[in-house]
């Protein structure tokens, strides 16, 4: 029931040249050089995708070792496919990857990109770095529209987010990109600067900003941040979030409760202001949620009321207080089960196909 957390995992690669007439193999290893057996999927799909994309690995029987500095959650291992392939492609072509590049995404055997779960959580976890480029599968575009529905201007502006339909399109953005990509980055940087002094609704409808966004898309049609902001200003966004976006919105709204229930034996929140903010945030997103997440929203709202009543008790060691705490724990367990079930559903459903408005 604990919300997922996003992390940027540095990667590097090394090559051992062989002398046998057979294709090179790809392995993943940790920072100590130990092979990671749980990454069998990417180990198979990345070479197949590279061969299908005309990056045929040499037939010398050698080995390409991709090192990751921390282990991945096995349930989310697909996110390493695209960045690993770009890393290997950089080695094979001699093209330098962009500075401040964060890539995520799976790869199919035909070289097309595969959407990943928890993209929004990853965006929240990436440290701001000015001209940061985030590259994701095209299938994750629907989750970026979720940010517009939430009014999360910071995440749409903090990073320049691009999407790619396949490995070749990703390479054109990430490895030694053409001048048009450089120009698009500079134009969007102007929008990022303007965004520091405007609220969301003002920014996306401002004529000067919209002109810049159109210019960004003229140079880089895959610039997802620009596309989503432009569509938000013209009413071209969906009416409801995806399930992934809905869970992200609820987790952000109720984060003080998630932290409190995970971290202490006595889950007391002293501030009435915190409770008021949680109720307000939950209420503001409810009408935009995927229908599957509405019941979780209502359960969280009810739990806020219970926790506030318990927090206001003068004597929480009394029989009443002990009974209320036991009830709180039982209620939270049920909320957690619902949350975990929905999280599993968001991971297994294709991006953009998790449900609908309710």
């Amino acid at each position: 029931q604990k919300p997922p957390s996003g992390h940027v995992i540095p990667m590097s690669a090394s090559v051992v040249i062989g002398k046998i007439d057979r294709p090179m193999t790809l392995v993943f290893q940790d920072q100590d050089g130990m092979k990671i057996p749980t990454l069998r999927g990417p180990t198979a799909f990345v070479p197949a995708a590279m061969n299908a994309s005309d990056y045929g690995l040499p037939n010398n029987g050698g080995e390409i070792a991709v090192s990751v500095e921390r282990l991945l959650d096995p349930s989310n291992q697909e996110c390493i496919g695209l960045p690993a392939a770009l890393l290997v492609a950089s080695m094979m072509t001699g093209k330098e990857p962009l500075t401040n590049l964060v890539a995520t995404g799976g790869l199919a055997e035909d070289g097309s990109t595969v959407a990943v779960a928890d993209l929004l959580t990853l965006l929240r976890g990436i440290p701001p770095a000015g001209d940061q480029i985030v590259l994701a599968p095209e299938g994750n575009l629907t989750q970026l529209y979720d940010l517009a529905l939430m009014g999360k201007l910071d995440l749409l502006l903090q990073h320049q987010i691009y999407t790619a339909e396949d490995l070749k399109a990703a390479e054109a953005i990430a490895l030694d990109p053409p001048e048009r990509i450089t120009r698009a980055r500079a134009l969007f940087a102007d929008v990022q600067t303007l965004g520091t002094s405007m609220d969301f609704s003002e920014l996306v409808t401002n004529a000067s900003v919209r002109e810049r966004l159109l210019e960004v898309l003229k140079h880089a049609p895959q610039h997802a941040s620009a596309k989503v902001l432009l569509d938000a200003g013209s009413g071209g966004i969906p009416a409801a979030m995806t399930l992934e976006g809905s869970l992200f919105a609820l987790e952000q709204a109720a984060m003080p409760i998630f932290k409190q229930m995970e971290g202490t034996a006595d889950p007391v929140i002293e501030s009435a202001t915190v409770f008021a903010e949680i109720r307000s945030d939950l209420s503001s997103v409810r009408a935009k949620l995927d229908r599957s997440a509405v019941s979780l929203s209502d359960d969280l709202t009810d739990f806020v009321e219970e926790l506030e009543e318990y927090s206001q008790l003068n004597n929480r060691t009394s029989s009443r207080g002990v009974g209320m705490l036991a009830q709180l724990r039982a209620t939270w367990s049920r909320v957690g089960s619902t949350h975990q079930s929905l999280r599993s559903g968001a991971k297994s459903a294709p991006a953009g196909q998790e449900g609908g408005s309710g």
Side-chain angles (χ1 to χ4, degrees):
Q1 64 198 50
K2 185 178 181 181
S5 56
H7 301 284
V8 176
I9 302 175
M11 298 169 61
S12 59
S14 59
V15 178
V16 175
I17 304 298
K19 297 181 180 180
I20 304 174
D21 185 19
R22 68 183 183 194
M24 297 186 78
T25 57
L26 175 71
V27 299
F28 289 90
Q29 61 185 31
D30 61 25
Q31 57 187 348
D32 297 320
M34 301 295 292
K35 292 182 180 180
I36 306 175
T38 55
L39 294 177
R40 292 189 184 92
T43 298
F45 291 151
V46 170
M50 297 195 71
N51 288 331
S53 305
D54 300 323
Y55 293 102
L57 299 178
N59 286 318
N60 60 26
E63 181 180 85
I64 299 175
V66 175
S67 300
V68 294
E69 290 192 9
R70 59 181 296 167
L71 296 181
L72 291 165
D73 180 346
S75 68
N76 202 26
Q77 62 177 256
E78 75 275 8
C79 69
I80 204 172
L82 179 59
L86 289 171
L87 186 61
V88 176
S90 175
M91 295 175 60
M92 294 178 63
T93 63
K95 295 180 179 179
E96 288 293 321
L98 288 171
T99 56
N100 291 335
L101 172 69
V102 175
T104 186
L107 281 176
E109 291 183 339
D110 64 357
S112 59
T113 56
V114 178
V116 294
D118 300 339
L119 175 64
L120 304 186
T121 304
L122 171 66
L123 293 175
R124 176 64 74 189
I126 299 174
D131 61 346
Q132 186 94 60
I133 295 288
V134 178
L135 180 59
E138 191 174 71
N140 281 114
L141 182 61
T142 52
Q143 292 179 8
L144 299 179
Y145 282 103
D146 292 338
L147 294 176
L149 283 166
M150 295 176 216
K152 293 292 184 182
L153 180 62
D154 57 333
L155 291 182
L156 284 171
L157 282 179
Q158 197 172 83
H159 318 292
Q160 299 207 29
I161 308 168
Y162 287 74
T163 58
E165 62 180 355
D166 55 33
L167 181 54
K168 278 293 187 183
E171 183 206 331
I173 297 167
L175 305 183
D176 196 15
E179 175 60 28
R180 63 181 181 82
I181 299 294
T182 303
R183 178 60 180 152
R185 292 179 71 179
L187 287 166
F188 194 77
D190 292 339
V191 177
Q192 289 174 309
T193 300
L194 290 169
T196 61
S197 58
M198 298 183 186
D199 63 24
F200 185 85
S201 59
E202 182 184 5
L203 182 82
V204 298
T205 55
N206 180 278
S208 178
V209 170
R210 293 184 63 79
E211 183 178 337
R212 282 180 172 84
L213 293 173
L214 285 169
E215 191 70 12
V216 170
L217 291 175
K218 176 182 175 182
H219 291 285
Q222 312 96 327
H223 201 299
S225 292
K227 177 174 175 54
V228 172
L229 289 170
L230 200 61
D231 287 347
S234 60
I237 61 175
M241 302 178 206
T242 64
L243 178 53
E244 161 69 18
S246 299
L247 293 175
F248 178 82
L250 292 175
E251 289 159 1
Q252 294 300 306
M255 188 57 71
I257 290 180
F258 279 102
K259 289 182 177 179
Q260 200 71 8
M261 294 305 295
E262 290 291 332
T264 63
D266 191 15
V268 175
I269 296 178
E270 300 286 357
S271 172
T273 302
V274 171
F275 284 112
E277 290 175 349
I278 295 172
R279 277 193 293 267
S280 175
D281 290 345
L282 288 173
S283 175
S284 68
V285 299
R286 188 184 186 281
K288 305 171 187 176
L289 296 174
D290 177 278
R291 60 173 176 263
S292 301
V294 172
S295 61
L296 176 61
S297 174
D298 293 342
D299 288 345
L300 284 169
T301 300
D302 291 343
F303 186 81
V304 169
E305 301 298 330
E306 289 185 35
L307 182 57
E308 184 171 27
E309 183 181 357
Y310 174 75
S311 297
Q312 292 173 347
L313 286 178
N314 291 324
N315 183 8
R316 288 186 289 274
T317 61
S318 65
S319 58
R320 183 187 177 207
V322 172
M324 287 182 68
L325 179 58
Q327 180 61 42
L328 274 174
R329 293 294 186 189
T331 302
W332 186 248
S333 179
R334 292 193 296 271
V335 171
S337 295
T338 302
H339 177 237
Q340 188 59 49
S341 177
L342 290 172
R343 265 273 155 226
S344 298
K347 283 182 179 292
S348 62
Q353 299 181 23
E354 297 99 326
S357 59

